Amino acid sequence: MPNTPEQIQPAFGTDPERLALVATATRNMVLVLDAAGCIEWVNRAFEAHTGFTLETIVGRQPGDILHGPDTNPETVLRIRQHLHRGEVFEEDILNYTASGAPYWVHTYCIPVGESESVEPGFVVIQTNISDRKHSERGLRIAASVFDRSHEAIIITDHSNRIIDVNPSFSRITGYAREEVLGLNPSILSSGRHSRDYYQSMWASIEKTDHWRGEVWNRRKNGEEYVELLSISRVHLEEPGRYFHVAAFTDITALKNHARELDRAANYDDLTGLPNRQLLEERIRCARQHAERQKRSLAICYLDLDGFKAINDELGHEVGDLALRTTAERLTQSLRSGDTVARIGGDEFVLLMHDDESPSVYQSILNTVNEPLTFADKPLKITASLGITRYPEDDTDAEGLIRHADQAMYAAKEKGRNQFHIFDPGLNAHRRQRRNQLVEIANALEHDEFSLHFQPQVRMVDSEVVGFEALIRWNHPEKGLLSPAAFLPAVENSHLEIPLGQWVLKEAIHQMNRWREAGEALAVSINISAPHLMDRSFADYLESYLHSHPEVSPGQITLEVLESTALEDTKRASNVLARCQSLGLQVALDDFGTGFSSLTYLRTLPVDVIKIDQSFVCNMLTDDNDRAIVESVIFLAQRFDHPVLAEGVENTAHANALQSMGCNLIQGYGIARPMPADSVLPWLTQWRSTVGQSRTLPELEDTANYGTGG
Ligand code: C2E
Ligand code: CA
Ligand code: CA
């Protein structure tokens, strides 16, 4: 049945058509109920909104068709009572559409009847208030967020006066809401932050409407705390009107936790001292400071003596006690700003400012030494202390610790309870030597070494009896280097034997080349004492000569320098004797320069004695040198050994030697050491100069091949 004004006509008295039109046209929902509260009529708005058509609901009670899951039974009951009593009432009701969608209506219900000259019943007018209900709900939620939030919230106006705070604010700060309304949040300030800090905070809010960061504040009870704060500026619709919402949480506990973590990462559990990581950090800072302020630092590495024994024999408990006690004592002995760290089992490092006098190091040892009792038993601890100083030792934190450690080892070597100060010069020297050795190994690999040869002459017939092989380094940058420039580095290094082997082989190769060219020349080869004493020296030589039958061993002389390595004279004798049995000659080089010359002369099997050039060069002007030369020649004659004198620079030298009974000479007067290629041409020239007479020509140091020593 269509819903038309005619239908409600009977219900109204005067001008019913117009009134009916109002009821039909209004956006409000209108229902007409009979005296029992059953639907007689509803308007279009009702039909449209609820989805029910009049014909399907006529005669039913609204409560029966509009209810749903959240319908409040009390509201239903109350409405029933109003209707029953025929009262006017107003009520907000949650209804449901035909399809089950909830909506809120404000219901106004008036009973009608005789006074309006109509059948008794009710006119119900409903306004949809869902939107209002929603926003009310939103506000309620917002309010409960504000109230229940775990975060403290402060709302301030545009001049930053507090408009409202929530309960969490009071919980965290200790201030009640009433105490702070109208005040500036700066009442919480701890004074820990600079003006700049707050200025940049406000600058950010001005620019981006937002700021977030950590702030140290103070509670009402004076206690400081850290909060993670976020401030937003909220603009209202009217321009220039805004307020601030500041929300914060107390992160003090979190910070403390972080500090705990930091402790675990930077401190030693047993003693509570900084660990290695923190120590390095502190050294880095101290180093920068010291550099700026032109001050010194001392890094002291302390290691307990015999700590393992304490642990093993007395147990870990005592070991721990010893460590803790040492830690305490060291801490007490330091001045403020200094650090003591534990960086290993029984290893401590002290970082001290200012250059310390050695008395300070001794007093550190004394502190550790103080007697200690454990379970009524006295326990004495001593330590070894290694010290390095910055800036004398100008290296990084790790290097400083390493150097102090090295010095500590040196202290240990001195015995217990000692200290030792690191010598950076010595270390620099070691480093330089290491670098040089790397370079030398490289040179060996790239064939940068060569041999030069210096002739040795027999005066009676001016015959060249041999050549001494002398090593040179054709350095790619520095040019030709003499042995003094690189042999000291090689001495006692892992390269000494490889280099010696190279010389040995190269010299023999060269002899072969000359032999192939028709000259069987004898060669003297310098052999360092460690090379000679190397277990495999004689074996190697033997197998080499065996596989090179073209080489005649009698043409080879080994020049051996008297040296501490020959102190095991028994072994030295054995080796030399084996070399002689292979057919080689042995020369005792630089005789007279060492301390055990006589012993060697007596015990070592040698064929030739060489007098060092330093004595020969000066013998004409220096009586001492002349005496040495004379005695060496005399001794050699007594032991029946030929003598060869080096350093013959002129005829006067040669004549003097000859008169003393020395017949073999070598020196710049005859020729400087020369490259292998120059040897045969030089020999030809020498022979032609000497001529048939075989007398020694005038000797003058003119033959300079640019290769002299
Ligand atoms: P050395 O065995 O005493 O060699 C003689 C040194 O005296 C050579 O120096 C030589 O050039 C120099 N000399 C020769 N005649 C004169 C002279 O009339 N006046 C002066 N002032 N000096 C003269 P060089 O070549 O510099 O060698 C120095 C040292 O290096 C050698 O002293 C030797 O101990 C060592 N050496 C050289 N080559 C080798 C080698 O291949 N192996 C080993 N282990 N040591 C070598
Ligand atoms: Ca020599
Ligand atoms: Ca010499």
Side-chain angles (χ1 to χ4, degrees), residues 264-439:
N266 287 310
Y267 291 86
D268 165 46
D269 268 350
L270 180 72
T271 61
L273 294 179
N275 63 11
R276 185 182 197 107
Q277 181 177 314
L278 185 55
L279 172 74
E280 284 182 6
E281 183 59 41
R282 296 233 176 123
I283 294 179
R284 273 193 283 277
C285 289
R287 206 175 156 280
Q288 284 172 3
H289 245 79
E291 190 179 12
R292 271 198 301 269
Q293 302 181 341
K294 302 266 169 287
R295 290 171 69 179
S296 307
L297 296 175
I299 289 89
C300 310
Y301 202 108
L302 184 135
D303 184 287
L304 299 185
D305 296 324
F307 181 71
K308 195 177 171 316
I310 296 180
N311 247 346
D312 291 351
E313 288 160 26
L314 305 173
H316 283 261
E317 218 178 308
V318 182
D320 285 357
L321 177 81
L323 292 175
R324 272 199 300 266
T325 309
T326 306
E328 274 164 30
R329 289 175 176 179
L330 291 174
T331 308
Q332 276 164 17
S333 73
L334 290 185
R335 288 167 312 182
S336 74
D338 292 353
T339 292
V340 54
R342 178 172 175 237
I343 66 166
D346 61 339
E347 292 160 352
F348 297 85
V349 172
L350 295 88
L351 164 63
M352 302 194 290
H353 297 82
D354 285 333
D355 209 348
E356 304 293 349
S357 71
S359 68
V360 173
Y361 308 134
Q362 188 55 55
S363 80
I364 291 173
L365 291 178
N366 295 346
T367 310
V368 176
N369 283 348
E370 277 165 32
L372 175 84
T373 38
F374 179 74
D376 292 335
K377 270 183 248 152
L379 180 66
K380 187 164 158 76
I381 314 173
T382 62
S384 300
L385 190 62
I387 301 122
T388 193
R389 286 156 161 171
Y390 176 85
E392 290 89 329
D393 182 9
D394 191 6
T395 179
D396 61 5
E398 281 168 45
L400 288 167
I401 296 174
R402 198 174 53 246
H403 291 163
D405 186 16
Q406 282 172 21
M408 187 276 293
Y409 270 98
K412 285 249 184 226
E413 277 172 16
K414 291 186 195 170
R416 295 174 156 233
N417 208 6
Q418 301 282 333
F419 70 86
H420 180 87
I421 300 172
F422 178 78
D423 180 351
L426 202 67
N427 198 56
H429 178 78
R430 276 197 206 118
R431 197 164 353 154
Q432 195 192 339
R433 179 169 183 231
R434 208 167 36 235
N435 292 344
Q436 210 187 1
L437 282 175
V438 171
E439 221 193 334

Side-chain angles (χ1 to χ4, degrees), residues 188-190 192-193 197-198 201 211-218 225-229 231 249 251-252:
L188 299 171
S189 169
S190 66
R192 273 218 201 190
H193 300 285
Y197 191 79
Y198 293 110
M201 174 175 109
W211 182 85
R212 190 183 151 92
E214 286 181 13
V215 176
W216 276 96
N217 273 346
R218 193 187 293 282
Y225 67 97
V226 207
E227 60 183 39
L228 181 62
L229 173 64
I231 302 177
T249 42
I251 55 166
T252 316

Side-chain angles (χ1 to χ4, degrees), residues 451-457 463-470 507 510-511 514 519-526 555-559 610 644 665-666 670-676 678-684 686-687 705:
L451 291 179
H452 280 205
F453 294 88
Q454 189 178 33
Q456 301 171 327
V457 168
E463 185 68 35
V464 175
V465 294
F467 289 83
E468 179 176 5
L470 295 158
Q510 189 54 53
M511 291 170 76
W514 285 326
E519 289 281 359
L521 303 178
V523 169
S524 294
I525 303 167
N526 291 286
Q555 301 274 73
I556 301 171
T557 301
L558 302 182
E559 293 197 6
K610 285 192 80 172
L644 189 152
I665 56 171
Q666 172 185 347
I670 294 160
R672 291 196 170 228
M674 61 190 88
S678 308
V679 167
L680 296 184
W682 176 85
L683 200 56
T684 311
W686 173 261
R687 285 174 183 151
Y705 292 84

Side-chain angles (χ1 to χ4, degrees), residues 454 468 471-472 483 503 526 589-590 613 646-647 649 667-668 673:
Q454 189 178 33
E468 179 176 5
I471 193 166
R472 298 290 181 268
V503 171
N526 291 286
D589 207 358
D590 291 2
Q613 40 94 3
E646 289 175 344
E649 295 185 345
Y668 293 174

Side-chain angles (χ1 to χ4, degrees), residues 114-128:
E114 272 166 47
S115 50
E116 291 86 11
S117 340
V118 291
E119 287 286 307
F122 301 89
V123 172
V124 183
I125 299 164
Q126 295 185 324
T127 325
N128 189 338

Side-chain angles (χ1 to χ4, degrees), residues 457-459 462 654-655 665 670 686 690 694-699:
V457 168
R458 186 165 58 211
M459 278 191 272
S462 301
N655 290 342
I665 56 171
I670 294 160
W686 173 261
V690 168
R694 295 206 159 244
T695 51
L696 202 63
E698 191 64 20
L699 301 183

